[in-house]
Amino acid sequence: GQQLNQSPQSMFIQEGEDVSMNCTSSSIFNTWLWYKQEPGEGPVLLIALYKAGELTSNGRLTAQFGITRKDSFLNISASIPSDVGIYFCEGGTSYGKLTFGQGTILTVHP
Amino acid sequence: EAGVAQSPRYKIIEKRQSVAFWCNPISGHATLYWYQQILGQGPKLLIQFQNNGVVDDSQLPKDRFSAERLKGVDSTLKIQPAKLEDSAVYLCASSPLRGTYEQYFGPGTRLTVT
């Protein structure tokens, strides 16, 4: 089955810094989604991408669908303490297979 | 708009016992998903329903897990009998449109098997 490699596994940054994380796979995906999960809650959808090369923003968040369709990137600009959480990528194939990455744990120091 | 509802929020059982989880998706959402999230890992899709039909259950351990979605609305996930490795958070999600995969998740049920 498909596997997604999400990196880094964890990040410790200062408030105000920019953050970059990515997801890679050996398989091709038709859809990439990025979620944020906080303790005791389900994941919350941040950005959905549907086309290779697509770049989409949601406030301070920007995500890109890699041109090879095997990767995706998420950037957070000017991080704030409430950005703390676990960020997950999810890939969807054309035949409906959904796979989550292992997550990137983000810690923001004030 | 009400979100995805799940109950119970927490459950502790002994191995070999049975347990059931309930999910009520967002009104009008045709697609419903059950995920298993083991501590420190990403969610793993167990089963996907489109209305009351199964789209994908390839990762559902069918010897002990079962799920149903009667009338295309609420859904239940059952484990019988439970094993220690079933300890996890069970997440339910729903999507308004088939094929977009934009999922809205419930808070999950944390299962501990002792």
Side-chain angles (χ1 to χ4, degrees):
Chain A
Q2 293 88 7
Q3 278 195 321
L4 295 185
N5 299 309
Q6 193 169 345
S7 67
Q9 282 189 308
S10 60
M11 303 182 75
F12 298 85
I13 62 169
Q14 290 293 129
E15 183 177 359
E17 289 183 358
D18 296 343
V19 172
S20 291
M21 59 189 79
N22 67 77
C23 229
T24 60
S25 174
S26 57
S27 302
I28 288 175
F29 290 98
N30 277 26
T31 304
W32 284 99
L33 306 113
W34 286 92
Y35 295 85
K36 178 187 177 187
Q37 187 175 29
E38 298 185 35
E41 301 293 331
V44 174
L45 180 65
L46 300 173
I47 294 178
L49 303 159
Y50 296 103
K51 222 161 60 168
E54 180 181 355
L55 188 72
T56 298
S57 293
N58 178 6
R60 294 178 296 104
L61 277 62
T62 302
Q64 184 162 23
F65 193 139
I67 201 74
T68 65
R69 294 166 62 194
K70 295 182 179 181
D71 54 13
S72 180
F73 308 88
L74 177 70
N75 296 314
I76 305 173
S77 62
S79 58
I80 58 178
S82 61
D83 289 335
V84 164
I86 306 177
Y87 290 79
F88 289 100
C89 60
E90 183 184 31
T93 68
S94 58
Y95 46 93
K97 284 291 184 187
L98 296 169
T99 307
F100 267 85
Q102 294 301 300
T104 293
I105 302 170
L106 179 64
T107 304
V108 180
H109 295 287
Chain B
E1 179 182 71
V4 175
Q6 289 188 248
S7 68
R9 289 297 310 273
Y10 306 92
K11 190 74 178 178
I12 300 174
I13 62 172
E14 295 182 352
K15 59 184 178 184
R16 291 188 289 273
Q17 285 187 325
S18 301
V19 64
F21 312 125
W22 174 82
C23 173
N24 183 237
I26 293 173
S27 177
H29 282 197
T31 310
L32 184 147
Y33 313 79
W34 282 102
Y35 287 86
Q36 179 193 58
Q37 186 175 25
I38 292 172
L39 187 65
Q41 298 183 16
K44 182 179 89 170
L45 181 66
L46 294 176
I47 189 167
Q48 177 184 347
F49 291 95
Q50 177 71 20
N51 295 310
N52 59 348
V54 175
V55 173
D56 180 12
D57 63 357
S58 57
Q59 298 194 95
L60 186 74
K62 298 180 187 65
D63 58 334
R64 297 184 301 106
F65 285 63
S66 64
E68 60 181 9
R69 189 183 185 197
L70 299 176
K71 301 180 183 177
V73 182
D74 293 8
S75 178
T76 55
L77 176 69
K78 296 178 182 176
I79 307 175
Q80 181 179 14
K83 293 185 176 181
L84 295 176
E85 59 261 36
D86 297 333
S87 294
V89 175
Y90 290 85
L91 294 163
C92 179
S94 67
S95 289
L97 295 171
R98 183 177 185 178
T100 65
Y101 308 137
E102 294 179 20
Q103 297 152 75
Y104 297 83
F105 283 83
T109 296
R110 181 174 295 280
L111 173 67
T112 302
V113 182
T114 63

